[in-house]
Amino acid sequence: MLKSIAQRRPQEGVLQSIPAPVKGWNTVDAIGNMDVRYALDMENFFPTPYDVMLRKGFSDQVTSIANGQVQSLMAYSSPAGTEALYAASGGAIYNCTQATATASVAASGFANALWEHTNFTNTGGTSYLLCVNGANGLRSFDGTTWGQQAISGTTASAFAHISLHKNRLWFCKDNTLEAWYLNTGAVSGTASKLDLSGFCRLGGELMATATWTLDAGEGIDDYWVAATSNGEIIAYKGTDPASASTWAMIGKWEVGKPLSRKCFAKFGGDVLYLAEDGVWPLSVLLVTERSRPLLALSNKIADAIRKAAIAYRSNVGWQLVFWPRETMLLTNIPVATGANQRQYVMNSITKAWGYFTGVTANCFEIYQGNLYFGGNGLVSRFWDTFADDGVAITGNVKQAFHYFKNRAKKQFVMARPILSTNGAPATSFGMNVDFADDNVLATLTFSPITYGVWDTATWDNGVWGGDLSVNRNWVNVSGLGFCAASRLKVQANGIEVHWQSTDCLFKNGGVI
């Protein structure tokens, strides 16, 4: 009797390597046709150009701010080199320049802590940190003293946003479509009005203004742009708003509604705009009017931003921050004040996205090149350590499904995630097959390694952190299907972890 081919020929294993999901988090492409370099989920991992890394953590700068939630951070910097960091909570502003348990009160008696700010050096050479909150007028710090600038011509207490454009301070007046401005080089005096109500068909109020650098065919110039609460952007060119010969509107566009007064962020010469339908460069948005959504920087996570905007739109804390030093664009998602916040983060080199959890930030600010955030009674420095104030960081990634050379049925038997690390992280690896979303990961356990501190630890007894080394351990996996998605969970405290690729071993079967 003849034996079947299956009986006569033993089934051979097939080995295939796939790269880590360096293209980042993807919430818009078809799950059945997604590039394997994308991830269906990427929590607490940051995509770099060559791998994905477990995010860094934070260390506390100030831990006992009496009024609770820090809702604004403001950095002061003068040409003379004087720098300071201030946090606003409740009705007070606190000096958080030095790491300390309890920050000192720098100024108090304010109606709220929702400040918008800018740095500015006036014609007399004095450098100021200037801020407004829609209730307490124009407040200032000159490097030594907090004070209030005298503004006439309008009710300056209603100024809710401040920006600097061509050596002139601009303000948005709360609950109006009025922009107010001072003379060039001035921090006080009579304010003049630019009323936009006659141009804004959708109504609402003026939310924010910014400077947009653009070459519109006449050479590079800085344009003044303003966004309204109902999603209209107006742009002007020129120098003197009081003169029709030197100030002219260049366009008006109807776009997505902004999610906060912190809806603009400088991005090189461009300006980014955070709206209910994503993160847009003005150079794209004001040309396409959203008719080509793939041009949004957030196009690969458009569904995630849309859902977040619907769920948390009314919460305080939406903010865009571009941090050039770490090539990171960060969007703060205010899930709940002081807890459960999320950050959607993009690598500005590759435009790949991920998201962070466990960073309970209400606001962010760059100070001395470092990124700080304000939370529940504290100010912390972000991305400066490999733990969250001593607590382990846990990351989860689910890679896109992949058919592994053919669309025949396969039995997945082993996998080898290639990790680079300088310690011993707790890891768990599994594979979902045929578009399932089952929890195939084991419970993580982790024993942190305490590394020695130079000049403190005892030589030959202290454990010293080393360079990254490659971990190539095989793990057993189980799955029977046509395609599979790798799932990696990592927990680490005080150590660095990168994921480069995965080797998968499977046995081919038939097409049925």
Side-chain angles (χ1 to χ4, degrees):
M1 183 177 179
L2 293 176
K3 293 184 178 181
S4 67
I5 294 176
Q7 289 176 308
R8 287 186 285 112
R9 181 178 299 167
Q11 200 173 21
E12 296 180 354
V14 179
L15 180 65
Q16 184 177 350
S17 179
I18 58 174
V22 293
K23 285 193 171 184
W25 186 27
N26 188 328
T27 69
V28 295
D29 287 346
I31 191 173
N33 193 36
M34 189 179 291
D35 189 326
V36 74
R37 290 172 294 174
Y38 284 114
L40 297 168
D41 191 30
M42 186 174 280
E43 177 186 7
N44 283 335
F45 275 86
F46 184 63
T48 79
Y50 40 84
D51 61 22
V52 294
M53 64 173 290
L54 187 68
R55 73 160 173 84
K56 292 185 180 182
F58 56 84
S59 58
D60 288 340
Q61 175 87 349
V62 176
T63 56
S64 300
I65 293 179
N67 288 331
Q69 301 293 341
V70 173
Q71 294 184 308
S72 300
L73 280 180
M74 301 175 287
Y76 170 78
S77 181
S78 73
T82 304
E83 295 182 286
L85 180 66
Y86 289 92
S89 175
I93 294 175
Y94 296 83
N95 188 341
C96 298
T97 304
Q98 301 298 325
T100 180
T102 304
S104 61
V105 175
S108 60
F110 304 120
N112 63 68
L114 300 176
W115 296 93
E116 300 292 324
H117 68 281
T118 190
N119 279 268
F120 180 59
T121 301
N122 70 354
T123 52
T126 302
S127 297
Y128 292 94
L129 170 65
L130 300 163
C131 54
V132 295
N133 68 349
N136 293 111
L138 179 59
R139 300 291 171 148
S140 62
F141 174 70
D142 63 4
T144 304
T145 306
W146 278 90
Q148 182 169 6
Q149 297 297 323
I151 306 293
S152 60
T154 186
T155 307
S157 60
F159 288 167
H161 187 273
I162 183 173
S163 67
L164 178 63
H165 177 72
K166 291 188 174 180
N167 199 33
R168 189 190 299 271
L169 291 173
W170 285 84
F171 308 92
C172 299
K173 193 172 182 181
D174 202 19
N175 297 316
T176 73
L177 286 166
E178 298 171 359
W180 291 80
Y181 58 92
L182 298 177
N183 291 332
T184 56
V187 296
S188 61
T190 302
S192 302
K193 179 172 65 174
L194 178 63
D195 192 350
L196 302 179
S197 58
F199 304 101
C200 297
R201 183 182 69 86
L202 301 180
E205 65 174 317
L206 200 61
M207 293 290 287
T209 64
T211 297
W212 176 35
T213 303
L214 179 70
D215 185 349
E218 301 175 352
I220 295 176
D221 197 0
D222 287 337
Y223 295 82
W224 182 86
V225 292
T228 74
S229 59
N230 285 337
E232 292 181 277
I233 291 182
I234 297 177
Y236 283 84
K237 64 177 296 185
T239 55
D240 185 0
S243 172
S245 62
T246 62
W247 186 260
M249 183 186 296
I250 64 168
K252 184 177 78 70
W253 299 266
E254 293 182 7
V255 296
K257 293 181 180 179
L259 291 170
S260 77
R261 292 194 184 276
K262 291 180 170 63
C263 58
F264 287 133
K266 288 293 290 183
F267 190 66
D270 210 340
V271 172
L272 301 182
Y273 175 64
L274 175 61
E276 58 192 358
D277 59 346
V279 179
W280 292 84
L282 289 189
S283 58
V284 169
L285 181 63
L286 302 190
V287 174
T288 65
E289 294 190 88
R290 295 182 296 163
S291 61
R292 297 175 64 188
L294 291 179
L295 296 178
L297 278 182
S298 58
N299 72 86
K300 288 302 180 185
I301 62 163
D303 191 55
I305 286 189
R306 180 188 63 83
K307 289 177 179 177
I310 292 172
Y312 313 120
R313 178 181 184 86
S314 60
N315 294 351
V316 174
W318 289 95
Q319 184 180 359
L320 265 182
V321 181
F322 175 47
W323 191 17
R325 193 188 75 186
E326 297 295 337
T327 65
M328 182 185 296
L329 175 68
L330 182 147
T331 305
N332 198 43
I333 311 296
V335 176
T337 302
N340 299 322
Q341 311 288 53
R342 288 192 174 196
Q343 294 79 37
Y344 294 172
V345 289
M346 185 194 81
N347 187 307
S348 61
I349 297 174
T350 64
K351 308 302 186 290
W353 289 83
Y355 70 91
F356 298 160
T357 60
V359 183
T360 55
N362 301 320
C363 54
F364 285 88
E365 178 74 337
I366 296 174
Y367 170 61
Q368 293 184 331
N370 302 310
L371 187 62
Y372 291 79
F373 69 86
N376 187 7
L378 54 79
V379 172
S380 300
R381 179 177 165 181
F382 188 46
W383 212 257
D384 71 326
T385 181
F386 291 99
D388 287 347
D389 194 34
V391 177
I393 300 169
T394 301
N396 287 281
V397 182
K398 180 178 180 179
Q399 197 160 4
F401 284 90
H402 186 52
Y403 281 93
F404 294 91
K405 296 185 178 181
N406 61 65
R407 299 213 170 204
K409 203 165 191 177
K410 307 166 188 71
Q411 180 182 4
F412 297 92
V413 292
M414 296 190 76
R416 180 170 61 179
I418 310 299
L419 304 176
S420 294
T421 180
N422 58 354
T427 61
S428 183
F429 188 88
M431 300 188 79
N432 285 153
V433 296
D434 292 352
F435 312 112
D437 192 31
D438 302 325
N439 184 7
V440 295
L441 298 172
T443 302
L444 289 175
T445 58
F446 178 73
S447 299
I449 298 173
T450 302
Y451 291 107
V453 178
W454 194 260
D455 285 338
T456 300
T458 304
W459 194 262
D460 287 336
N461 289 326
V463 179
W464 306 101
D467 295 332
L468 296 179
S469 60
V470 180
N471 185 315
R472 303 183 181 90
N473 294 330
W474 284 98
V475 295
N476 293 318
V477 296
S478 177
L480 185 65
F482 298 94
C483 60
S486 300
R487 301 194 66 164
L488 175 67
K489 188 174 184 179
V490 175
Q491 188 178 75
N493 191 334
I495 57 178
E496 190 172 353
V497 184
H498 295 253
W499 181 22
Q500 279 90 27
S501 65
T502 304
D503 297 331
C504 299
L505 182 65
F506 57 92
K507 296 178 180 180
N508 278 317
V511 298
I512 299 177

